[in-house]
């Protein structure tokens, strides 16, 4: 049993590409759900749109990655408008239903046989999606991440990814402490009260949905660039629910909530998995097979998260006083 | 106490009562200077006609009380006038402009601000943030400007000062940093009223401002409402306790079964046989006030026999 290796693996995952993707999805969800109270149960749809836009523009259409990124962001704005226009005037639950349905719809469309020429069907889009980005990698060819186990290519994505997260988080921080942020937090508490004070609630909800969707799409963009492949069946509703878990773990309506949540979530998931594998190999645990590790780590992490909700329901950064108050 | 508040009538109060002195005490009577003028507003829910108002006018600068028994349609009428609900038919003007069908937030911007029967204090915002939300025309509420604090910080400071003044007036100043959810029911009513005043409304519409508020706080609420009128804001409020209305109302409009059944100064309206019938129905032996109700209703809680 090599505890040092378990730790190195876990930290690599905690700071890795997947954590970055989920962190961005969670920052987007934090704008929508944490601050504005929009029940978006289809955040994965925005990630899908981000990733597939990059794949389609770069591989299917053969255009530049630098053109693909703004197109991907624009596509997420359009998705937000499509989702928001019919639902944001209605009660909050309608958005939840529409978003979860839309996210599955989107996955089924991109994996469909009819559109295989564009989206690649079940095989998705593979190819040199992120080549232009990886060509800029300044790390030396023989680069080895000290202690951690990033490849040279991943290390470059991770560096840029965390810088992007820092910039976006700073933007969110500016936004939520402004009068704009006050209005959306008011909408979260009671939108009719905010209407009665002369604010066009629909516009604010739309802005929050668009903004959160764009940040989520940014996660999809990084996904496509880092993995150089876009697979339809990775964009399942689980992604949305992991994102919610991350957000609640870190603390909703907190700037550092999604960041710490993503790091901790992937640290625990990788750590528990790696620990179990090693323990089985070392013969410490004889009633489990190595193939059991995958599901068991989710069970253990699930129990951990349930305990968190019971003993610290506000998440790590939340303020307990807020929860003591009745939302209405 | 009632006499106490009555005697403290300010100049604007005297002026508006004088202006209303010659208005006939009939439903739908024309006022000398109406801020709100309503024509044939009707709203039904399925087979039930909740509101069916032929004509009613609200005098500018006065305190008008809209009273009526439970289920008379007062709150529905309020919701219609403020755009929170759409009528089947009807039109009304605010400050001479047609406003039927106008979105509620636009009406609020034009100076017609309401509060709610069930207070809508924004619990997980601080008292100060609640107040600041009320301010109109904030640059920082635009999403692009929000990123640049230097564009709005000066305005924000001015709003903060104004909010602090209002909070001290409503005895909430020391609570400004607390979450609104931690306030008592009465304090929330005060906060909602103060928040509505942040926008400098021309007409403030209070839906049962005194409901669920203890007697001491009720007195202070009544004073505040009179102060609001003395500053030139028109007040229209819903209430069902006649005592409160008698204290501060310049004019009273009585609703029952969705219709305006009587209008007039408080003294005259309370003697109106229609009003007594509507209010008491079969309970002719009961007092009109909250305190009276609690004494007598016990003997016949459901009103099943009389």
């Amino acid at each position: 049993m090599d505890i040092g290796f378990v730790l190195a693996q876990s930290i690599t995952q905690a700071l890795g590409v997947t954590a970055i993707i989920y962190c961005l999805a969670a920052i987007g969800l934090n704008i929508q759900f944490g601050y504005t109270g929009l029940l978006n149960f289809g955040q994965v749809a925005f990630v899908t749109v981000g990733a597939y836009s990059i794949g389609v523009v770069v591989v299917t259409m053969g255009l530049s990655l630098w053109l693909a990124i703004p197109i991907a962001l624009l596509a997420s704005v359009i998705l937000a408008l499509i989702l928001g226009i019919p639902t944001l005037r209605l009660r909050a639950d309608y958005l939840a239903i529409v978003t979860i349905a839309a996210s599955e719809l989107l996955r089924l469309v991109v994996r469909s046989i009819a559109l295989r020429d564009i989206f690649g069907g079940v095989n998705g889009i593979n190819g040199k999606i992120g080549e232009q980005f990886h060509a800029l990698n300044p790390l030396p060819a023989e680069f080895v991440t000290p202690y951690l186990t990033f490849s040279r290519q991943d290390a470059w994505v991770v560096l840029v990814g965390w810088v992007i997260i820092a910039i976006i988080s700073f933007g969110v921080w500016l936004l939520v402490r402004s009068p704009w942020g006050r209005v959306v937090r008011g909408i979260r508490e009671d939108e009719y009260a905010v209407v009665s004070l002369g604010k066009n609630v629909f516009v604010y909800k739309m802005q929050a949905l668009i903004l959160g969707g764009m940040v989520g799409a940014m996660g999809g963009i990084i996904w496509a660039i880092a993995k150089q492949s876009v697979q339809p069946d990775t964009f399942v509703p689980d992604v949305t629910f992991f994102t919610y878990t991350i957000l609640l773990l870190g603390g909703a309506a907190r700037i550092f909530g999604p960041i710490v949540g993503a790091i901790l979530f992937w640290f625990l998931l990788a750590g528990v998995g790696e620990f179990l594998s090693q323990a089985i190999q070392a013969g410490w645990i004889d009633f489990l097979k190595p193939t059991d590790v995958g599901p068991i780590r989710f069970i253990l992490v699930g129990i951990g998260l349930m305990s968190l909700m019971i003993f610290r329901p506000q998440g790590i950064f939340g303020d307990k006083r807020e929860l003591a108050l009745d939302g209405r | 106490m009632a006499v106490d508040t009555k005697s403290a009538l300010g100049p604007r109060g005297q002026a508006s009562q004088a202006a209303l002195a010659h208005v006939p005490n009939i439903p739908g009577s024309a006022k000398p200077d109406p801020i709100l003028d309503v024509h044939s507003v009707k709203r039904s829910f399925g087979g039930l006609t909740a509101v069916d108002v032929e004509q009613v006018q609200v005098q500018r600068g006065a305190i008008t009380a809209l009273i009526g028994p439970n289920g008379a349609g007062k709150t529905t009428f309020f919701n219609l006038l403020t755009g929170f609900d759409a009528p089947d038919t009807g039109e009304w003007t605010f400050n001479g402009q047609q406003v039927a069908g106008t979105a509620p937030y636009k009406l609020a911007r034009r100076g017609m601000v309401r509060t709610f029967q069930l207070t809508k204090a924004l619990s997980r915002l601080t008292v100060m943030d609640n107040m600041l939300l009320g301010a109109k025309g904030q640059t920082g509420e635009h999403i692009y400007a929000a990123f640049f604090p230097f564009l709005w910080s000066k305005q924000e400071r001015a709003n903060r000062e104004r909010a602090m003044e209002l909070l001290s007036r409503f005895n909430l100043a020391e609570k400004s940093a607390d979450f609104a959810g931690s306030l008592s029911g009465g304090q929330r009513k005060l906060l909602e009223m103060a928040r509505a005043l942040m926008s400098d409304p021309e007409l403030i519409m209070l839906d049962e401002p005194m409901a669920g508020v203890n007697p001491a706080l009720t007195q202070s609420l009544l004073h505040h409402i009179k102060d609001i009128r003395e500053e030139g804001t028109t007040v229209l409020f819903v209430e069902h306790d006649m005592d409160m209305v008698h204290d501060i109302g310049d004019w009273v409009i009585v609703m029952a079964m969705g219709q305006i059944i009587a209008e007039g100064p408080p003294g005259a309206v309370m003697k109106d046989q229609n009003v007594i019938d509507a209010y008491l129905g079969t309970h002719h032996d009961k007092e009109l006030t909250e305190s009276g109700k609690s004494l007598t209703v016990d003997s016949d809680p459901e009103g099943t026999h009389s």
Side-chain angles (χ1 to χ4, degrees):
Chain A
M1 181 101 183
D2 184 354
I3 290 293
F5 178 73
V6 171
L7 212 59
Q9 281 291 315
S10 311
I11 295 173
T12 305
Q13 276 295 308
L15 300 176
V17 175
T18 316
I20 288 171
I21 292 164
Y22 275 91
C23 180
L24 284 166
I27 293 173
L29 192 63
N30 200 23
I31 299 171
Q32 297 164 342
F33 170 75
Y35 290 106
T36 319
L38 299 176
L39 272 179
N40 174 10
F41 273 117
Q43 183 66 344
V44 65
F46 290 103
V47 182
T48 313
V49 162
Y52 264 92
S53 302
I54 297 291
V56 168
V57 173
V58 175
V59 176
T60 313
M61 297 165 71
L63 298 173
S64 163
L65 176 67
W66 311 123
L67 182 68
I69 292 173
I71 289 177
L73 292 174
L74 187 70
S76 68
V77 173
I78 293 169
L79 176 68
L81 288 170
I82 293 171
L83 293 176
I85 287 170
T87 54
L88 288 180
R89 290 181 200 277
L90 305 172
R91 253 183 16 226
D93 3 6
Y94 291 98
L95 182 72
I97 297 166
V98 167
T99 47
I100 195 167
S103 70
E104 273 295 85
L105 209 75
L106 206 62
R107 183 174 69 86
L108 294 173
V109 166
V110 294
R111 83 194 292 280
S112 69
I113 295 172
L115 298 172
R116 195 170 43 194
D117 292 344
I118 304 169
F119 299 115
V122 286
N123 295 322
I125 300 170
N126 303 286
K128 299 191 167 171
I129 297 175
E131 201 182 35
Q132 283 173 285
F133 174 80
H134 294 298
L136 298 178
N137 194 339
L139 299 170
E142 65 283 5
F143 175 80
V144 179
T145 333
Y147 185 59
L148 306 176
T149 54
F150 289 124
S151 67
R152 176 176 174 270
Q153 188 173 309
D154 278 356
W156 172 226
V157 175
V158 165
L159 279 176
V160 174
W162 285 109
V163 169
I164 290 174
I165 288 173
I167 294 168
I168 291 177
S169 295
F170 179 67
V172 174
W173 179 75
L174 280 176
L175 257 188
V176 298
R177 61 191 286 279
S178 75
W180 185 90
R182 189 161 60 220
V183 175
V184 297
R185 281 182 293 130
I187 292 171
R188 177 188 69 196
E189 299 301 308
D190 191 322
E191 60 179 273
Y192 292 114
V194 179
V195 167
S196 79
L197 297 171
K199 320 291 177 198
N200 190 348
V201 164
F202 178 75
V203 165
Y204 285 98
K205 290 204 284 190
M206 189 56 103
Q207 288 171 342
L209 187 66
I210 290 174
L211 218 56
M214 286 173 77
V215 178
M218 202 58 225
I221 292 168
I222 290 182
W223 186 321
I225 290 173
K227 304 196 181 204
Q228 302 261 40
S229 142
V230 185
Q231 303 292 325
D233 291 334
T234 46
F235 301 103
V236 285
D238 301 28
V239 176
T240 303
F241 296 118
F242 283 180
T243 305
Y244 265 99
T245 308
I246 284 166
L247 182 58
L248 296 176
L249 175 66
R254 290 288 179 278
I255 295 297
F256 286 105
I259 298 173
V260 171
I263 291 176
L264 202 62
F265 181 80
W266 289 104
F267 179 83
L268 287 174
L269 208 58
V272 170
E274 203 61 49
F275 180 82
L276 281 177
S277 298
Q278 296 255 337
I280 291 166
Q281 268 174 25
W284 295 1
I285 303 172
D286 51 8
F287 56 91
L288 290 176
K289 292 186 287 297
T291 47
D292 293 335
V293 169
I296 294 247
R297 63 179 186 154
F298 277 112
I299 293 173
L300 291 178
V301 170
I303 291 172
L305 290 170
M306 279 200 280
S307 334
L308 181 90
M309 284 297 111
I310 293 165
F311 298 110
R312 200 175 164 80
Q314 70 274 33
I316 292 164
F317 278 100
D319 183 339
K320 189 140 200 178
R321 289 184 307 157
E322 287 192 20
L323 279 189
L325 305 169
D326 191 354
R328 300 287 137 185
Chain B
M1 252 193 268
V3 178
D4 213 355
T5 50
K6 198 77 187 168
S7 62
L9 197 59
R12 284 189 200 255
Q14 284 167 5
S16 53
Q17 289 192 359
L20 288 164
H22 305 293
V23 175
N25 298 347
I26 50 165
S29 59
K31 308 294 181 303
D33 182 13
I35 188 167
L36 198 61
D37 187 1
V38 184
H39 291 282
S40 38
V41 167
K42 201 167 176 175
R43 174 72 165 113
S44 43
F45 299 103
L48 175 85
T49 304
V51 169
D52 185 4
V53 171
E54 266 311 308
Q55 172 153 8
V56 71
Q57 294 188 340
V58 173
Q59 168 74 2
R60 187 189 310 277
I63 299 177
T64 304
L66 179 62
I67 67 166
N70 288 326
K74 307 182 294 287
T75 295
T76 309
F77 190 47
F78 243 54
N79 288 344
L80 292 171
L81 293 183
T82 50
F84 278 80
D85 190 8
D88 306 333
T89 59
E91 48 190 35
W92 59 100
T93 61
F94 173 64
N95 264 336
Q97 285 177 299
Q98 271 298 339
V99 289
T102 306
Y105 77 90
K106 285 186 185 156
L107 279 174
R109 283 183 192 173
R110 285 198 195 171
M112 183 170 161
V113 174
R114 71 169 296 182
T115 67
F116 295 87
Q117 187 175 359
L118 300 169
T119 24
K120 293 189 185 295
L122 304 165
S123 303
R124 289 179 297 172
L125 263 57
T126 62
V127 168
M128 178 51 87
D129 277 349
N130 264 272
M131 291 297 288
L132 292 171
L133 259 183
K136 281 206 278 196
Q138 297 187 53
T139 313
E141 287 184 354
H142 297 288
I143 191 161
Y144 304 112
F147 287 106
F148 308 104
F150 62 90
L151 291 177
W152 45 263
S153 54
K154 199 176 158 206
Q155 189 186 33
E156 182 85 350
R157 264 198 305 279
N159 285 339
R160 232 166 240 281
E161 266 172 38
R162 201 175 128 58
M164 229 30 220
E165 275 168 33
L166 276 167
L167 283 176
S168 356
R169 205 173 111 188
F170 283 80
N171 294 324
L172 289 170
E174 70 277 19
K175 297 270 184 192
S176 68
D178 293 1
F179 283 121
S182 69
L183 299 181
S184 73
Q187 287 172 323
R188 288 181 202 205
K189 289 268 181 201
L190 287 172
L191 172 60
E192 213 184 358
M193 205 183 289
R195 190 175 68 191
L197 288 175
M198 269 302 279
S199 68
D200 277 322
E202 275 189 70
L203 169 65
I204 186 167
M205 299 176 64
L206 309 167
D207 196 350
E208 301 217 14
M210 270 78 86
V213 175
N214 72 52
L217 206 52
T218 299
Q219 283 310 313
S220 111
L221 267 167
L222 293 177
H223 276 291
H224 287 310
I225 293 174
K226 292 210 293 192
D227 287 348
I228 294 170
R229 188 251 323 265
E230 288 309 318
E231 284 158 18
T233 305
T234 309
V235 181
L236 174 64
F237 74 103
V238 166
E239 183 51 62
H240 54 225
D241 184 354
M242 289 275 228
D243 246 5
M244 317 278 176
V245 172
H246 198 258
D247 263 5
I248 61 163
D250 298 326
W251 190 260
V252 180
I253 297 169
V254 189
M255 269 184 97
M257 311 285 282
Q259 295 177 323
I260 309 285
I261 58 162
E263 267 193 59
V269 160
M270 283 172 89
K271 294 192 198 87
D272 189 308
Q273 192 57 41
N274 281 338
V275 177
I276 295 167
D277 285 348
Y279 246 82
L280 303 177
T282 50
H283 300 250
H284 275 285
D285 53 337
K286 306 277 153 65
E287 288 283 333
L288 283 172
T289 62
E290 289 280 349
S291 51
K293 216 187 281 172
S294 63
L295 282 176
T296 49
V297 164
D298 285 349
S299 60
D300 184 11
E302 301 300 326
T304 44
H305 43 83
S306 52

